[in-house]
Structure formats: C-alpha cells, structure tokens
C-alpha cells in the first residue's frame, strides 16, 4: 500500500538552515548537511531543500551544497529556489536532486512547466505554490491568492486554479504552502489543502503550520494530503520523524515505520 | 567493474554513490566500448521513454546494451531502465525499446481517483522469493517509487515481485542474469541499499 509521506524541509539562506514565522524573522537552525543526515537516519520519506532567498536576490541555488547533501543521504531529494530555466533544472538534477520545485518562474512563464515535464518527466517536476487567504471576488467566499518572490509579491492568481493549471501543464506534484499558517504551529491550512487535493490528480504536499502530532493526522485525514512537510517541529527536535509516524500509524494512517 | 550508462538525462550520481558505498568499482559512461568490457551493467533511466531511446540509439548504447544482455552478463535496469527493456511504451508511441522482454509499458489510469505519478513508499510483494536480490530483505518491505508508467510483461514468469497501486503491477523483473526494478533502490534507504549490495555480490 502506498504510504503517506513525512518530509522535513530545509529552508536555506546563505548556506545555513533557517526558519521563520510567516516567511519573516528567520532564525538559524543548523548545518544543512548535518541536519540532512539526521533526517535520513530518522527514516524521513523525502527531503526538501528550498533556497528561500534565491528568487528575490536572483541568486542561483547553491549547487555545491546540493551536491554535499545528495552525497550523504539515500532518500529522495527535492530542490527549489531561484530556478529560472531548463539549464538550471538540468544542473540541479546533475548535482544530485531527484526532483526540482518551480515557483516564481513557473508563474511568470507557465510554459517552463510543460517544457521541463517533457524533457525530464512529470515525476521530477514539482510546482510549489505559496498561498495566502483572501476574499473571493464574486461570491464573498474565502479564496487563496498566489504569492511569488518568496511570498513578497501578490499575483492576483487564485491558488486552486493555478494548481489545476500547473498539473495540466505537466507538474507531477504540488507543494502547497499556506503563508498564513507557516511557522505558526497552529496546524495546516485544512480548507486550502482540501480544495487543492480535490482539484488535482497528482500528489499534494501540504506545508506550513505543523506544531503538534494531531496536526499531521488532521491534514491527512481531513484534507487528503499525500505528504506533510514540516520544518520547525523537526529542526528544534520537538518531535522526531519516527514519533510522528508512530502516532499516525496508531491512528490508522498508512505510513512506513 | 560495474558500468553505469549515462546518456545525458540527469541524476545518476545517487546510483553510483550507492554502489561505491558497497565497495564496488564503478564507471559512469556513454561509451559502447566501456560497456563491452564491463562485468555488470546498470541502466538507471531518467527522462521520457522516447528521448531515452533516441539518445541511446545515437550513442550506440542500444546495441551495446543488447549485446551485454545477450552474452548473459549481469544487467540491472532501474525505473525507466526497466521499461526500456520492452518493445514499446504508451509514453512515446513509435519509439522502439530494447525488446528484450515482450509486452508493453502502460500509463496508470487516473480513473477511480488514482493519483499519477505513483509517488512515494510502497511495498514489494515477493512472487519469486528465490530472487537473489531479496537476500536479507523481508517480504512486503517498503521502497521508493516515482513513476507514471509501468510494464506489463507478456511472460508472467519473469515477475519477481508485484506492488499494489490500483491493481498489482510488476515491480521487480528477473530472468537469469537480467534484473529490473521499477522503484529506486538508491533512494530506498536500508532496504534499497541491501538490494544494491546483493547485486554487487552477484
């Protein structure tokens, strides 16, 4: 049986793991290579590496660091941050990434998704969406708006519609981050995640807000996420990946123990 | 020496790294002469079926791989490297694979709510527990999958394990010296590394 995945996320700035609240107030959380090895040993199902300032400062993701991490782990590894074209993707895959995560550039030129998927296969193209709640225009219902450039620039694009479009273009997975919940430890954004898992037929990784064991359960059980991503809760050793999985296993969520 | 075919489509480092961690002597190559000299050959397979066939054909790698297999030397296909053993794939109509095995490569159907790609950790159910790659591995162990297409072999006797996703599909193929895995052993932590160790020790 295909299991639900637990994915630690390394937000990287200037070669260090950092973590903030709602995308600001970043604090140091360790050396990326050392932290990665710990998660591999904890049987994390996957690792995500996001160079969080790459897009804003127009820097290229730190290829050398990707190589160092890839050398030290035997689990799937997704890299994102500042990816602008096919060459960037090829360089990251060559450096040891298994999948790449497109965000800002995918919004600016959606054809990059199609081009990348046809070149490397949908299974290695993740589209990351940073979304913030807003009032839906027509009916006054709640909606979510896509932000780019590390959450600094609103786009006016509806997050659910964008997720659907990204999949039609060839995205093999959606990494969905709630900017409202990120780093708050108040739980995942269940309504947002549920909307997106219901709208697309590729796996959805929910991100932003994990603070307790029950938050993971709720996100799988209520929102139908395929994977839950978390940072602070693991970086600051509040729980190990194993503890999260045991909790889920006892409550009937299929996980790899 | 174990040769790893690199036809230029991306991440083959992890396969090599896993082999090296088992003490194997490896060579990453796109040179048919290297392939002729190696004891064991690995086709990792990244990208789409049609592109892979085209790139391999252009570099003389189809012929070299077929010759290696026909000489009964040990071969391991990983992911797309399994699918390339077949004649054709729904991914790329008109492209001709190695044709070592009869059958076809199909896309998972989105019907009944199945998400495609099949991505994540799933179990291998042994069909042929005598498969040498299973040494030290428990039935129903978890390995990492990441694919939208799967092979449907005409000869059922080459299926060494199946995995359930919608229906059961063939996740490991084995015939004499030919081994093929639909999942990524190099990404499957302890279980995957044990399979790679078993392969190195063949």
């Amino acid at each position: 049986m295909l299991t639900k995945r637990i994915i630690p996320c390394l937000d990287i700035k200037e070669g260090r793991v950092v973590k903030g609240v709602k995308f600001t107030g970043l604090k140091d959380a360790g050396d990326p290579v050392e932290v990665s090895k710990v998660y591999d040993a904890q049987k994390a199902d996957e690792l995500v590496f996001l160079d969080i300032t790459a897009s804003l400062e127009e820097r290229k993701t730190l290829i050398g660091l990707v190589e160092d991490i890839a050398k030290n782990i035997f689990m799937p590894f997704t890299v994102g941050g500042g990816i602008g074209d096919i060459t960037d993707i090829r360089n990251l895959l060559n450096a040891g990434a298994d999948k790449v995560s497109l965000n800002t550039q995918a919004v600016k030129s959606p054809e990059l998704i199609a081009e990348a998927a046809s070149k490397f296969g949908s299974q290695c193209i993740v589209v990351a969406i940073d979304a913030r709640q807003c009032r839906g225009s027509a009916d006054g219902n709640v909606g979510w708006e896509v932000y780019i450039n590390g959450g600094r620039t609103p786009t006016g694009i509806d997050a659910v519609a964008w997720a659907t479009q990204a999949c039609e273009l060839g995205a093999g997975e959606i990494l969905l981050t709630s900017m409202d919940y990120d780093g708050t430890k108040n739980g995942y954004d269940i309504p947002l995640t549920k909307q997106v898992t219901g709208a697309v037929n590729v796996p959805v990784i929910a991100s932003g807000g994990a603070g307790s064991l029950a938050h993971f359960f709720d996100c799988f059980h209520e929102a139908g996420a395929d994977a839950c991503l978390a940072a602070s809760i693991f970086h600051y050793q509040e729980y190990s990946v194993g503890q999260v999985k045991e909790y889920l296993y006892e409550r009937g969520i299929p996980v790899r123990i | 020496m174990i040769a790893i075919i690199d036809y230029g489509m991306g991440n083959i480092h992890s396969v090599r790294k896993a082999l090296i961690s088992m003490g194997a002597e490896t060579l990453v190559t796109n040179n048919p002469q290297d392939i002729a000299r190696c004891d064991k050959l690995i086709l990792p397979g990244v990208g789409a079926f049609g592109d892979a066939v085209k790139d391999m054909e252009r570099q003389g790698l189809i012929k070299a791989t077929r010759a290696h297999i026909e000489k009964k030397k040990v071969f391991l296909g990983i992911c797309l490297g399994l699918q390339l053993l077949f004649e054709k794939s729904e991914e790329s109509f008109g492209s001709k694979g190695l044709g070592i095995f009869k059958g076809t490569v199909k896309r998972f159907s989105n019907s009944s709510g199945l998400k495609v790609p099949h991505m994540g950790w799933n179990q291998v159910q042994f069909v042929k527990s005598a498969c040498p790659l299973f040494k030290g591995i428990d039935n129903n162990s978890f390995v990492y999958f990441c694919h939208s297409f799967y092979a449907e072999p005409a000869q059922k006797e080459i299926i060494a394990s199946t995995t359930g996703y919608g229906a059961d599909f063939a996740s490991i193929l084995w015939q004499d010296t030919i081994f093929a895995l639909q999942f990524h052993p190099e990404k499957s932590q302890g279980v995957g590394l044990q399979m790679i160790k078993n392969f190195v020790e063949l």
Side-chain angles (χ1 to χ4, degrees), chain A residues 64-96:
Chain A
L65 187 52
V66 172
E67 282 173 351
D68 283 348
I69 294 175
K71 247 181 249 165
N72 283 286
I73 58 172
F74 293 100
M75 64 176 154
F77 180 33
T78 301
V79 179
I83 297 172
D85 56 26
I86 291 291
T87 308
D88 289 345
I89 297 173
R90 188 188 301 274
N91 289 343
L92 287 169
L93 296 176
N94 283 336

Side-chain angles (χ1 to χ4, degrees), chain B residues 18-139:
Chain B
L19 288 163
I20 290 171
S21 77
M22 297 303 160
E25 193 194 330
T26 63
L27 176 69
V28 173
T29 183
N30 64 353
N31 183 342
Q33 287 174 345
D34 290 335
I35 293 171
R37 277 199 305 268
C38 72
D39 309 307
K40 293 176 186 169
L41 181 63
I42 298 184
L43 178 58
V46 187
F49 190 93
D51 285 347
V53 168
K54 208 164 65 188
D55 287 343
M56 287 183 69
E57 188 74 64
R58 187 169 43 80
Q59 300 172 71
L61 296 170
I62 297 268
K63 210 175 138 195
T65 303
R66 210 180 270 136
H68 177 95
I69 292 172
E70 281 162 3
K71 277 187 215 145
K72 301 264 177 218
K73 292 205 278 181
V74 177
F75 172 89
L76 176 67
I78 297 174
C79 199
L80 181 65
L82 173 150
Q83 298 170 12
L84 287 165
L85 290 170
F86 289 80
E87 303 162 293
K88 52 186 189 287
S89 169
E90 287 183 2
E91 185 173 15
S92 314
F93 288 105
S95 292
K96 221 165 159 268
L98 288 159
I100 301 290
F101 292 143
K102 297 237 175 305
T104 183
V105 177
K106 297 185 164 174
R107 190 177 194 277
F108 285 112
S109 161
N110 275 129
S111 63
S112 69
L114 206 60
K115 295 194 176 187
V116 184
H118 171 224
M119 195 182 285
W121 296 77
N122 204 335
Q123 289 160 294
V124 284
Q125 300 143 5
F126 295 173
V127 177
K128 288 187 167 179
S129 46
C131 178
L133 295 186
F134 294 161
K135 202 176 105 190
I137 291 171
D138 294 332
N139 191 14

Side-chain angles (χ1 to χ4, degrees), chain A residues 7-211:
Chain A
I7 307 177
C9 177
L10 311 183
D11 290 337
I12 307 280
K13 191 184 180 193
E14 287 151 16
R16 298 286 294 177
V17 180
V18 295
K19 190 58 210 165
V21 176
K22 297 186 181 182
F23 286 36
T24 58
L26 301 175
K27 274 196 270 181
D28 191 276
D31 172 70
V33 177
E34 292 310 311
V35 171
S36 305
K37 285 199 243 177
V38 169
Y39 296 141
D40 200 17
Q42 287 183 4
K43 289 179 88 173
D45 294 312
E46 210 165 312
L47 189 72
V48 167
F49 169 120
L50 298 175
D51 189 6
I52 56 169
T53 54
S55 205
L56 183 73
E57 295 163 15
E58 294 182 351
R59 280 187 292 105
K60 298 298 177 194
T61 306
L62 315 165
I63 294 281
L65 187 52
V66 172
E67 282 173 351
D68 283 348
I69 294 175
K71 247 181 249 165
N72 283 286
I73 58 172
F74 293 100
M75 64 176 154
F77 180 33
T78 301
V79 179
I83 297 172
D85 56 26
I86 291 291
T87 308
D88 289 345
I89 297 173
R90 188 188 301 274
N91 289 343
L92 287 169
L93 296 176
N94 283 336
D98 300 293
K99 305 186 238 181
V100 293
S101 167
L102 309 176
N103 191 333
T104 300
Q105 198 56 33
V107 173
K108 287 185 181 167
S109 8
E111 66 279 5
L112 176 64
I113 301 172
E115 203 188 333
S118 82
K119 197 89 200 157
F120 305 105
S122 285
Q123 81 289 335
C124 73
I125 306 302
V126 181
V127 169
I129 301 175
D130 296 331
R132 175 172 276 171
Q133 195 178 314
C134 60
R135 287 268 156 224
S137 52
D139 48 13
N141 287 338
V142 166
W144 292 270
E145 182 179 2
V146 176
Y147 280 64
I148 57 172
N149 293 323
R152 280 140 182 114
T153 314
T155 61
I157 298 168
D158 176 71
V160 180
W162 171 231
T164 310
Q165 192 196 342
C167 294
E168 282 164 3
L169 287 166
E173 194 164 33
I174 299 291
L175 167 53
L176 179 67
T177 301
S178 160
M179 294 177 60
D180 302 296
Y181 287 69
D182 181 73
T184 63
K185 302 195 171 182
N186 290 332
Y188 291 92
D189 188 335
I190 301 292
L192 167 64
T193 308
K194 200 172 176 179
Q195 286 269 325
V196 173
T197 57
V200 302
N201 51 23
V202 303
V204 175
I205 305 171
S207 156

